[in-house]
Amino acid sequence: MLQILLFVFYIWGIHLRFAEAEIKLVDAEKCLVWGAGIKPDVSVLPARYFFIMAIDKNGQRYLESAPLNFQVKIKGNSPHGRCRSHVDVIDRGDGTNIVRYTTADWCDQVEIEIRYNGTQVAQSPYYVRNKVYSEKCYCPQDLQLFMLHNNCPNAAADKQIMWDLHSFKRVNFSAIRENLMKRYNQPESVSLCHYVVKQQQIWRQCYGKYTGFKMFMDSTLLALSRVALLPDMEFYLNLGDWPLSKKGGQQRTSGPYPIFSWCGSEDSYDITLPTYDLTESSVENMGRVALDMLSVQRNEHPWELKEDKAFWRGRDSRRERLDLIDLSRKYPELINASITNFFFFRDEEQKYGPTVPYVSFMEFFKYKYQLNIDGTVASYRFPYLLAGDSLVFKQDSPYYEHFYSKLQPYKHYVPFKRNLSDLIEKVQWAREHEKKVREIIHNAREFVEANLLPQHIYCYHLALFKEWSNRLVAPVVVMPGMEKVQTSYTCFCKEPQIKDEL
């Protein structure tokens, strides 16, 4: 009954907004358009994207969806006649839209046309001076030039990069390689790959029983090499969940070994990369991934219709996840939580089951509050939760992803204790402070826009690799036994100058 009443009020609100439309009309010329996707000839990403902010006749921004949709067209010529493109306009429900698009091969004489109710928006049409190449083309720019075009900060401006590298001011792999491999070549418990990038070619040799996740770094390096000239470098990548280069113990005498990982921790020296999940969603944006940092911002569940509960679904990869099930049963009016798969605690399935079917990630946002609880390590869903239109509660954790150091509790999310002892109190607080909750959600989405979109993931990798290469003191050499990672391009800006070298 409550949901029906909420729906009636929501529909009534829509009617009121349309009734006000004659007073609060969108002024197409006053609307704001920004983002690197307006300059696709210099900013090359799998999906280019830019933003539109709806502004009314009085110069005020809309705080909800504009009455009508923005129409966007990519015009130009290509080898096949008209420029072939695919455009997706994502309404974020707050008066802003994300426009993302892809092109096939290359396009010339490109115009980006943005209209609202038939009228050109802002400075539309936007004329692009040079050819626009697909990200699948081999068109690497000078590294510093790519970083400049994409507003990439240097490593020195990133707290996490500098912290991760502070123990590795000079790295001589010729001197430490043998001991590093003695330490970590443990096939039953450790899986890692040794990568070498030399003259834009990528080589690797992997060790361990489970090395399938090498495909993520392969695709990352290939994607980066298509858009930027990578520095010659080498590194060892941990393919497992847990950080490897632990503090204390043997490290006290041998010194920490430089290991790249997708997750960091307070008790390790691992150099943190953006997670394979977040990176793949950037490299495959508008491609084979169903969820990414742009599409997750689509407003499918208006705030007025969201359930006033905290929501969680996931597997049983940590004891606190089972504890959450206990809480949800004790406080069903506050928490909706269930296990989707038992693996780690199968002997307790009868108590904490039955399992429930998987839920589409976008369906999570039917609820006002989202719970982020560690799995085996940090929960890699956290970036996507921050991008959605719900408040995120985050468990205190010794694990972190590459961006955690920039977040502030109670500004971007609400923290709760590792043992969940204050979670109910925090959820009750949120239900009583909607204005503050909406402010935190707004801040979280601004954080995402400034730090976690595909452009930033490319930038982070390139800034880290550039700084890392400067710290390598031994010549970068392709080692015997290494396998070349095969490249695939759909077109070239010019013939690549690449030499085979061993």
Side-chain angles (χ1 to χ4, degrees), residues 11-72:
I11 296 299
W12 177 249
I14 291 176
H15 283 300
L16 287 177
R17 285 201 294 272
F18 275 99
E20 295 170 355
E22 292 185 4
I23 301 172
K24 191 179 179 183
L25 292 172
V26 170
D27 189 323
E29 293 184 357
K30 290 181 180 178
C31 291
L32 302 180
V33 176
W34 73 96
I38 293 297
K39 298 180 179 179
D41 52 341
V42 294
S43 181
V44 184
L45 292 170
R48 275 89 162 184
Y49 56 92
F50 59 88
F51 301 84
I52 305 172
M53 179 182 290
I55 304 293
D56 68 20
K57 294 289 185 180
N58 297 318
Q60 301 297 312
R61 67 164 289 185
Y62 269 72
L63 299 178
E64 65 281 325
S65 298
L68 301 176
N69 295 326
F70 288 91
Q71 296 86 38
V72 180

Side-chain angles (χ1 to χ4, degrees), residues 110-375:
V110 171
E111 298 178 24
I112 302 174
E113 183 182 271
I114 310 167
R115 291 181 180 271
Y116 182 84
N117 197 24
T119 302
Q120 297 277 10
V121 170
Q123 303 301 313
S124 174
Y126 293 86
Y127 297 99
V128 182
R129 295 175 57 186
N130 305 306
K131 280 185 179 180
V132 174
Y133 288 91
S134 163
E135 180 270 343
K136 298 300 182 184
C137 296
Y138 183 81
C139 303
Q141 303 176 41
D142 173 81
L143 176 57
Q144 195 60 40
L145 194 60
F146 179 92
M147 294 180 69
L148 179 65
H149 287 157
N150 288 277
N151 298 314
C152 298
N154 288 318
D158 193 286
K159 177 181 176 181
Q160 189 62 54
I161 291 178
M162 299 314 293
W163 173 254
D164 284 347
L165 297 184
H166 84 281
S167 297
F168 308 108
K169 293 179 174 58
R170 290 170 58 84
V171 179
N172 186 341
F173 276 117
S174 296
I176 67 172
R177 183 178 290 110
E178 183 178 352
N179 287 335
L180 185 152
M181 289 308 302
K182 285 181 180 178
R183 175 73 178 86
Y184 295 114
N185 190 8
Q186 304 173 30
E188 293 300 320
S189 59
V190 174
S191 296
L192 76 162
C193 288
H194 178 204
Y195 277 90
V196 165
V197 178
K198 190 171 180 67
Q199 294 187 340
Q200 287 294 95
Q201 294 187 345
I202 301 157
W203 302 79
R204 60 163 156 71
Q205 185 168 10
C206 296
Y207 306 86
K209 192 172 182 179
Y210 305 102
T211 61
F213 275 29
K214 65 180 180 288
M215 68 178 185
F216 294 112
M217 182 51 69
D218 289 357
S219 65
T220 298
L221 291 173
L222 289 174
L224 293 173
S225 71
R226 288 194 292 269
V227 300
L229 294 172
L230 301 180
D232 288 356
M233 61 177 174
E234 64 177 306
F235 61 88
Y236 286 82
L237 173 70
N238 168 28
L239 299 178
D241 287 339
W242 291 275
L244 289 180
S245 191
K246 294 293 186 179
K247 295 179 179 178
Q250 183 179 347
Q251 306 284 13
R252 294 178 180 175
T253 55
S254 63
Y257 292 112
I259 301 291
F260 283 61
S261 288
W262 287 304
C263 179
S265 67
E266 295 172 357
D267 64 348
S268 74
Y269 292 101
D270 290 47
I271 300 163
T272 315
L273 290 164
T275 67
Y276 60 83
D277 186 276
L278 183 58
T279 303
E280 185 188 35
S281 77
S282 301
V283 170
E284 292 294 334
N285 203 284
M286 291 188 78
R288 68 170 182 259
V289 295
L291 180 70
D292 59 76
M293 293 299 293
L294 299 177
S295 65
V296 74
Q297 298 185 56
R298 198 183 308 274
N299 183 42
E300 295 184 354
H301 304 289
W303 181 262
E304 297 84 355
L305 297 183
K306 292 177 184 281
E307 287 198 45
D308 199 20
K309 291 183 181 182
F311 183 82
W312 182 85
R313 289 290 187 275
R315 60 179 187 153
D316 65 330
S317 47
R318 181 165 293 278
R319 168 58 65 180
E320 292 93 332
R321 294 186 170 194
L322 302 185
D323 296 338
L324 179 64
I325 303 304
D326 286 331
L327 280 178
S328 70
R329 290 172 177 174
K330 187 175 181 180
Y331 301 96
E333 74 282 6
L334 297 179
I335 297 175
N336 180 336
S338 295
I339 300 290
T340 55
N341 182 48
F342 281 91
F343 178 81
F344 296 89
F345 298 95
R346 286 175 176 167
D347 57 332
E348 299 186 57
E349 182 172 357
Q350 185 173 358
K351 178 179 179 181
Y352 292 104
T355 59
V356 298
Y358 288 95
V359 176
S360 162
F361 198 83
M362 295 304 292
E363 295 300 296
F364 282 31
F365 299 108
K366 286 183 176 179
Y367 296 81
K368 289 184 177 180
Y369 318 116
Q370 302 297 322
L371 302 178
N372 190 77
I373 297 181
D374 281 354

Side-chain angles (χ1 to χ4, degrees), residues 310 369-374 382 386 391-398 404 407-430 436-437 440 444:
Y369 318 116
Q370 302 297 322
L371 302 178
N372 190 77
I373 297 181
D374 281 354
F382 190 36
L386 289 172
L391 176 68
V392 182
F393 292 86
K394 183 188 177 303
Q395 180 189 29
D396 291 339
S397 172
Y404 283 20
L407 289 167
Q408 297 179 41
Y410 296 106
K411 180 177 181 180
H412 302 113
Y413 67 94
V414 174
F416 60 92
K417 293 180 181 178
R418 190 152 185 80
N419 64 4
L420 317 190
S421 60
D422 62 343
L423 178 57
I424 295 301
E425 173 190 338
K426 295 293 179 69
V427 174
Q428 289 172 331
W429 170 87
K436 180 62 176 178
V437 164
I440 296 173

